[in-house]
């Protein structure tokens, strides 16, 4: 190889023993390159999709937790310190964490070596989230490798990438000899039968049901046909739905009377075993349902082995099977599949010629040939980086790096929860049964569960969050008194309600949680119950006098109206409550006191947040600007001379023309500020608001008047407040939930927002 071949090359992807086509691809690429260029050093950075540790080979030097954003930054630090000269990235949206896999960008923006990215999926019409990720991925990559001409075309037309930055290298395949299928059939007990094969991880997008539906017509003409479905169900699908898809295929086969002509081989086979199965195959079928599939490793594998292929016309198949190298059939067309199979069976000469054409082209794609092409790309990349250095990283000082968030730890919330709900108070870290439960805290807890379900890195696992959400929602349902249309608030440990009607604020908090749950909960039953109670308890808020109850309700309506666009009653109530808040501002605010009341008391930022969200959603510029201006004033008011966050204390609050109370500082104030500032950032894209959110969140972690952390990393609890000389060491529900709600909001915004290159937050 040439003088510019990098000394140390790292491969970033998922990796065996993880069961994934890209893992297999990366393994074969690693083996192929290291075999023909042993003078370089190689390592793998593997992405893990589960908590259990995989037993990787020794050259896997770095592991990334797929859904942990911090893990990507730590991997970047490792790659830099390991003096890697080139990073080869395998990209598929689904194998990296964050919305559309955007956590990968956290790594790419911090590494200091050239990047070569192989695109396994290229979308012609991506949704906004995928488009944002793809644009930055392409910008940060020195060179791009695609596996089909269609990929080159899309990168130029859709993403504006110069062809000089793109290399076309086909999907690698093993070097399998061209042999008659009869030599392999006896070992599987299918000698004398004509074998159709589909293999790969099973899932609904594979379209296997259309081949099964074609079998009755095929078998009528060719009774000795057997259809072999080889491969395990995708692990992520098993985790969500079990084997429901495979079972539906088996039921279809029985219903159609072809169960004796189908073999399910439910496992992920090794390369050596796979060669045996392919050797026994006469016709390979890929009935995939999505045209926008730019590459298929299984298709390349079987095609290169010289097998006749029948496929739906996704992009990779269109290119590979052109010029009589296979047969294309329409999507979701069982009749066409049956006809194509029977045509091959009726014309053995045509079948043989198709096989020979495929095998001849496949010789150009065996792994040694593909590896040599990759090495040429690596050489060119390193040479180009030397000649024209790519300046995209900026400095890596602490102030420029994204905030590092702690792991999600719900131990204390679990300890504070029984089968009725979450307890209000704790004595140090021990639940205080004497104080019982309240709707306020169970609403906060249900809200937290809804937010955690929309993170890519929840903890504990989703099933535990689902159980907690069920408990808290059941409490909210029981607290709603349908005779009065109001929520009760306080319940004793013996499950006795202490009032018939709770506070207006507790009613508003309950609606806020229910409206959010109706939109964001993953459990269908939770969404339905939340929506029902939300609508039952909504209308009465129009009669309330509490501005915070209005604000909490507006926050719930903001989410609820996303799923019920034509809910006119809800839209009207949003308008009414927004105008009530604006009227308060106009009647009270002055130049020196831009606030809606004569005192700034508790949950202050929620008033601003409600106006910002409602004003933006209803295109009410007056409401939006009032909310932003008030939040800006509140941020300045809650900044200590040293620059850290100092919330208004609840020991006197802050009355106009009076002294502001500095203590006791409450976690709910920091939480409200975090949430409101993040919403302001999402709407305005002004990085000032992101900085304010970070500052308020850091109050929990010790950047405060006492320099002491309120969040207890050992327990997952949060102390109840900051007093003049010490902390309130009790870890009650309100304070603990305040931290975790702020934490979830911070994680969510990191999940959907990655600063553009060169930006500073």
């Amino acid at each position: 190889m040439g003088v510019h071949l990098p000394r140390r090359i790292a491969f970033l992807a998922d990796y065996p023993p993880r069961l994934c086509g890209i893992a297999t691809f990366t393994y074969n690429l690693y083996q192929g390159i290291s075999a023909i260029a042993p003078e370089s050093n190689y390592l793998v950075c593997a992405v893990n999709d589960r908590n259990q540790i995989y037993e990787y080979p020794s050259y896997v030097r770095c592991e990334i937790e797929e859904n942990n954003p911090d893990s990507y930054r730590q991997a970047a630090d490792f790659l830099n310190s390991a003096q890697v000269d080139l990073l080869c990235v395998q990209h598929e949206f689904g194998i990296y964490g964050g919305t559309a896999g955007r956590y990968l960008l956290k790594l790419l923006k911090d590494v200091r070596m050239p990047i070569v990215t192989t695109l396994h999926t290229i979308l012609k019409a991506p949704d906004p989230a995928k488009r944002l990720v793809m644009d930055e991925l392409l910008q940060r990559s020195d060179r791009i490798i695609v596996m089909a001409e269609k990929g080159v075309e899309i990168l130029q037309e859709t993403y504006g990438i110069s062809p000089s930055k793109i290399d076309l290298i086909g999907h690698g395949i093993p070097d399998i000899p061209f042999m008659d299928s009869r030599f392999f059939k006896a070992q599987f007990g299918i000698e004398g039968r004509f074998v159709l094969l589909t293999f790969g991880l099973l899932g609904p997008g594979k379209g296997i049901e259309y081949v099964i539906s074609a079998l009755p017509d095929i078998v009528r003409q060719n009774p000795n046909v057997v259809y072999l479905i080889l491969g395990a169900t995708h692990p992520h699908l098993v985790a969500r739905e079990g084997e429901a898809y495979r079972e539906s295929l088996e039921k279809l086969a029985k219903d159609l009377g072809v169960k004796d002509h189908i073999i399910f081989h439910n496992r992920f086979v090794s390369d050596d075993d796979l060669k045996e199965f392919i050797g026994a195959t006469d016709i390979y079928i890929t009935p995939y349902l999505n045209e926008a599939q730019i590459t298929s490793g299984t298709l390349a594998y079987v095609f290169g082995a010289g097998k006749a292929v029948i496929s739906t016309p996704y992009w990779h198949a269109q290119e590979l099977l052109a010029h009589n190298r296979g047969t294309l059939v329409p999507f979701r067309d069982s009749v066409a599949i049956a006809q194509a199979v029977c045509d091959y069976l009726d014309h053995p000469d045509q079948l043989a010629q198709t096989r020979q054409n495929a095998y001849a082209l496949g010789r150009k794609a065996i792994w040694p040939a593909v590896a040599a092409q990759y090495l040429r790309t690596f050489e060119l990349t390193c040479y180009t980086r030397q000649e024209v250095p790519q300046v995209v990283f900026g400095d890596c000082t602490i102030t420029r790096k994204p905030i590092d968030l702690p792991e999600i730890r719900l131990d204390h919330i679990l300890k504070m929860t029984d089968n009725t709900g979450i307890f209000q108070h704790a004595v140090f870290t021990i639940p205080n049964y004497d104080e019982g439960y309240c709707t306020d805290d169970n609403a906060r807890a249900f809200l937290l569960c809804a937010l955690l379900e929309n993170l890519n890195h929840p903890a504990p696992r989703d099933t535990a969050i689902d159980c907690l959400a069920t408990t808290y929602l059941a409490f909210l349902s029981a607290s709603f008194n349908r005779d009065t249309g109001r929520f009760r608030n306080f319940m004793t440990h013996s499950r006795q309600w202490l009032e018939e009607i709770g506070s207006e604020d507790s009613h508003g908090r309950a609606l806020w949680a229910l409206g959010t749950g109706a939109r964001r909960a993953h459990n269908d039953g939770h969404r339905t119950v939340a929506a029902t109670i939300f609508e039952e308890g909504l209308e009465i808020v129009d009669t309330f006098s509490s501005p915070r109850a209005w604000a909490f309700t507006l926050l719930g309506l903001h989410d609820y109206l996303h799923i019920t666009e034509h809910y006119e009653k809800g839209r009207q109530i949003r308008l009414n409550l927004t105008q009530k808040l604006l009227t308060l501002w106009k009647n009270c605010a002055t130049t020196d006191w831009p606030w809606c009341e004569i005192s700034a008391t508790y949950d202050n930022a929620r008033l601003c947040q409600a106006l910002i969200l409602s004003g933006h959603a209803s295109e009410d510029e007056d409401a939006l600007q009032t909310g932003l201006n008030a939040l800006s004033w509140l941020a300045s008011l809650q900044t200590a001379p040293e620059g850290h966050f100092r919330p208004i204390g609840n020991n006197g609050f802050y009355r106009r023309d009076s002294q502001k109370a500095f203590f006791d500082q409450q976690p709910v104030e920091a939480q409200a500020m975090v949430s409101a500032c993040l919403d302001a950032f999402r709407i305005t894209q002004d990085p000032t608001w992101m900085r304010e959110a970070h500052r308020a969140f850091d109050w929990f972690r010790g950047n405060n008047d006492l320099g002491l952390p309120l969040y207890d990393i050992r327990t997952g609890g949060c102390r109840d407040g900051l007093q003049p000389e010490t902390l309130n060491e009790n870890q009650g529900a309100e304070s603990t939930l305040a931290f975790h709600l702020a934490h979830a909001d911070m994680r969510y915004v990191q999940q959907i927002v990655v600063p553009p290159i060169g930006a500073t937050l």
Side-chain angles (χ1 to χ4, degrees):
M1 289 294 157
V3 69
H4 298 292
L5 182 64
R7 293 178 301 105
R8 178 165 293 182
I9 299 171
F11 298 84
L12 172 61
D14 44 11
Y15 205 76
R18 179 172 173 178
L19 304 181
C20 173
I22 292 178
T24 303
F25 178 95
T26 310
Y27 170 81
N28 286 319
L29 180 62
Y30 175 94
Q31 297 295 331
I33 289 177
S34 59
I36 63 175
E39 65 272 24
S40 292
N41 295 315
Y42 304 93
L43 62 92
V44 172
C45 190
V47 183
N48 294 339
D49 63 340
R50 64 181 192 179
N51 289 334
Q52 297 92 342
I53 297 174
Y54 288 109
E55 293 185 6
Y56 290 118
S58 60
Y59 53 81
V60 175
R61 297 280 308 283
C62 174
E63 298 179 40
I64 295 175
E65 297 176 45
E66 179 180 318
N67 292 315
N68 180 358
D70 296 337
S71 188
Y72 291 81
R73 287 192 287 269
Q74 292 163 5
D77 291 341
F78 166 78
L79 292 168
N80 290 332
S81 64
Q83 299 182 344
V84 169
D85 298 305
L86 182 135
L87 178 62
C88 179
V89 178
Q90 304 306 312
H91 181 261
E92 163 64 56
F93 293 105
I95 68 172
Y96 300 103
T99 302
R102 67 181 306 110
Y103 288 172
L104 171 64
L105 303 181
K106 296 175 182 294
L107 183 152
L108 298 186
K109 75 183 186 65
D110 282 348
V111 295
R112 297 192 293 271
M113 70 287 302
I115 299 167
V116 174
T117 300
T118 302
L119 300 177
H120 291 258
T121 294
I122 308 174
L123 301 176
K124 193 172 185 179
D127 61 39
K130 288 186 173 66
R131 179 62 193 250
L132 284 171
V133 170
M134 185 63 105
D135 283 342
E136 186 163 350
L137 173 67
L138 295 173
Q139 185 178 2
R140 292 194 180 278
S141 300
D142 293 74
R143 295 198 69 78
I144 306 295
I145 293 175
V146 299
M147 303 185 203
E149 290 284 358
K150 186 70 174 181
V152 178
E153 174 190 317
I154 294 172
L155 287 181
Q156 293 180 73
E157 295 181 356
T158 301
Y159 299 95
I161 301 301
S162 168
S164 64
K165 189 176 180 177
I166 306 169
D167 290 325
L168 174 60
I169 303 176
H171 195 296
I173 61 172
D175 190 4
I176 300 176
F178 188 85
M179 297 183 68
D180 193 302
S181 62
R182 289 175 295 178
F183 293 110
F184 298 91
K185 292 180 179 179
Q187 62 186 303
F188 299 117
I190 51 177
E191 61 271 31
R193 304 193 72 174
F194 197 90
V195 178
L196 313 179
L197 172 68
T198 296
F199 86 86
L201 291 175
L202 265 63
K206 295 297 177 72
I208 293 171
E209 58 270 27
Y210 293 97
V211 183
I212 294 175
S213 296
L215 279 179
D217 288 342
I218 296 171
V219 170
R220 271 193 292 272
Q221 297 185 49
N222 302 276
N224 66 337
V225 162
V226 62
Y227 180 33
L228 177 57
I229 301 170
L230 173 63
T233 305
H234 197 292
H236 292 175
L237 187 64
V238 171
R240 292 195 310 269
E241 303 175 8
E243 290 287 359
Y245 178 64
R246 184 184 298 275
E247 290 166 1
S248 72
L249 297 178
E250 292 174 352
K251 182 178 184 303
L252 178 62
K254 292 176 183 177
D255 292 344
L256 294 176
V258 292
K259 64 179 182 178
D260 293 332
H261 295 269
I262 295 181
I263 298 173
F264 283 95
H265 197 70
N266 183 12
R267 68 184 180 94
F268 193 90
V269 298
S270 68
D271 279 356
D272 289 339
D273 288 343
L274 184 56
K275 291 176 183 178
E276 303 293 323
F277 281 105
I278 291 174
T281 297
D282 296 295
I283 297 177
Y284 182 68
I285 305 179
T286 59
Y288 301 162
L289 305 181
N290 180 18
E291 180 190 38
Q293 183 163 341
I294 203 69
T295 185
S296 167
T298 58
L299 174 63
Y301 201 135
V302 178
F303 178 88
K307 297 298 178 180
V309 177
I310 297 171
S311 176
T312 50
Y314 54 90
W315 292 334
H316 192 195
Q318 289 181 37
E319 290 187 22
L320 206 57
L321 304 186
H323 308 297
N324 297 318
R325 296 191 294 260
T327 299
L328 296 175
V329 296
F331 293 104
R332 297 177 171 84
D333 192 334
S334 299
V335 174
I337 292 172
Q339 183 61 52
V341 171
C342 292
D343 280 349
Y344 274 135
L345 297 183
D346 292 343
H347 301 91
D349 292 343
Q350 177 185 339
L351 177 63
Q353 185 61 56
T354 301
R355 290 189 59 201
Q356 291 169 7
N357 294 344
Y359 190 77
L361 184 63
R363 297 312 86 209
K364 298 179 181 179
I366 58 175
W367 276 114
V370 167
Q373 293 179 71
Y374 266 82
L375 283 172
R376 283 192 288 272
T377 291
F378 293 169
E379 287 184 310
L380 177 60
T381 302
C382 291
Y383 174 77
T384 304
R385 176 67 77 91
Q386 288 175 355
E387 293 295 307
V388 185
Q390 186 181 40
V391 183
V392 297
F393 303 109
D395 65 76
C396 294
T397 62
I398 292 174
T399 57
R400 292 180 65 91
K401 295 190 74 171
I403 187 171
D404 288 323
L405 297 173
E407 287 299 298
I408 297 171
R409 183 170 183 175
L410 303 184
D411 302 46
H412 190 58
I413 288 177
L414 290 165
K415 184 189 300 182
M416 290 286 290
T417 302
D418 67 3
N419 59 6
T420 297
I422 191 167
F423 292 103
Q424 286 189 80
H425 298 298
V427 180
F428 295 102
T429 61
I430 306 303
N432 185 347
Y433 292 174
D434 289 342
E435 301 293 337
Y437 319 86
C438 69
T439 294
D440 280 320
D441 290 333
N442 280 275
R444 293 180 176 109
F446 181 63
L447 177 64
L448 175 64
C449 291
L451 298 182
L452 290 177
E453 286 185 310
N454 287 274
L455 295 180
N456 286 316
H457 186 53
R461 305 310 301 166
D462 291 348
T463 52
I465 294 173
D466 185 77
C467 290
L468 288 172
T470 299
T471 298
Y472 305 139
L473 181 57
F475 187 98
L476 294 179
S477 179
S479 72
F480 186 63
N481 187 337
R482 286 162 178 81
D483 293 335
T484 62
R486 293 288 299 273
F487 289 91
R488 293 165 287 211
N489 195 12
F490 297 108
M491 175 189 276
T492 67
H493 187 219
S494 59
R495 298 185 180 178
Q496 300 298 312
W497 291 107
L498 295 179
E499 81 263 280
E500 287 301 309
I501 295 176
S503 68
E504 291 183 359
D505 283 7
S506 66
H507 191 106
R509 282 194 186 91
L511 292 181
W512 173 16
L514 293 165
T516 300
R519 178 188 179 190
R520 300 178 188 271
H522 286 193
N523 184 306
D524 292 342
H526 291 175
R527 290 198 303 274
T528 301
V529 171
T532 301
I533 307 172
F534 180 86
E535 292 196 9
E536 290 176 340
L538 177 62
E539 195 165 359
I540 200 169
V541 180
D542 236 354
T543 68
F544 287 0
S545 59
S546 166
R548 282 156 187 80
W550 301 340
F552 299 151
T553 303
L554 284 170
L555 296 178
L557 272 167
H558 178 73
D559 270 326
Y560 195 71
L561 289 174
H562 274 81
I563 59 170
T564 54
E565 184 179 349
H566 303 297
Y567 181 42
E568 290 304 322
K569 182 190 295 183
R571 297 171 71 85
Q572 185 59 49
I573 291 175
R574 179 173 67 182
L575 176 63
N576 295 347
L577 298 183
T578 303
Q579 290 306 310
K580 285 175 184 281
L581 283 176
L582 279 176
T583 300
L584 282 184
W585 246 280
K586 291 173 182 176
N587 291 340
C588 183
T590 65
T591 303
D592 296 331
W593 185 261
W595 197 242
C596 62
E597 300 173 302
I598 61 171
S599 294
T601 56
Y602 61 94
D603 261 333
N604 296 301
R606 297 300 182 189
L607 301 170
C608 312
Q609 184 182 12
L611 282 179
I612 291 168
L613 290 176
S614 299
H616 178 68
S618 57
E619 299 182 351
D620 183 339
E621 190 65 22
D622 188 18
L624 174 60
Q625 286 305 316
T626 299
L628 290 170
N629 293 340
L631 187 61
S632 181
W633 175 75
L634 191 61
S636 66
L637 192 68
Q638 298 188 120
T639 301
E642 297 82 3
H644 60 259
F645 181 70
R646 176 189 283 167
I648 296 169
N650 74 345
N651 187 17
F653 298 118
Y654 183 28
R655 187 176 178 86
R656 184 166 55 188
D657 300 325
S658 299
Q659 287 294 109
K660 178 176 60 174
F662 290 159
F663 299 96
D664 292 331
Q665 297 176 20
Q666 297 292 298
V668 290
E669 301 308 313
Q671 177 218 342
M673 199 67 182
V674 168
S675 185
C677 290
L678 291 178
D679 277 336
F681 171 74
R682 281 192 285 260
I683 288 171
T684 67
Q685 293 297 297
D686 183 347
T688 299
W689 295 118
M690 183 68 83
R691 288 194 291 270
E692 290 295 339
H694 285 186
R695 196 165 58 85
F697 186 77
D698 280 343
W699 177 88
F700 287 103
R701 306 202 296 178
N703 192 11
N704 52 48
D705 283 329
L706 299 186
L708 298 174
L710 284 93
Y711 174 59
D712 187 343
I713 196 169
R714 299 166 303 169
T715 67
C718 181
R719 298 167 177 94
D720 278 352
L722 199 68
Q723 298 169 338
E725 296 180 354
T726 187
L727 299 170
N728 182 337
E729 291 289 349
N730 296 330
Q731 297 181 13
E734 178 185 286
S735 55
T736 295
L737 290 166
F739 170 79
H740 284 287
L741 285 163
H743 188 195
D745 280 334
M746 292 294 292
R747 279 201 173 273
Y748 182 70
V749 82
Q750 281 198 353
Q751 182 171 295
I752 64 171
V753 176
V754 171
I757 296 172
T760 304
L761 293 179

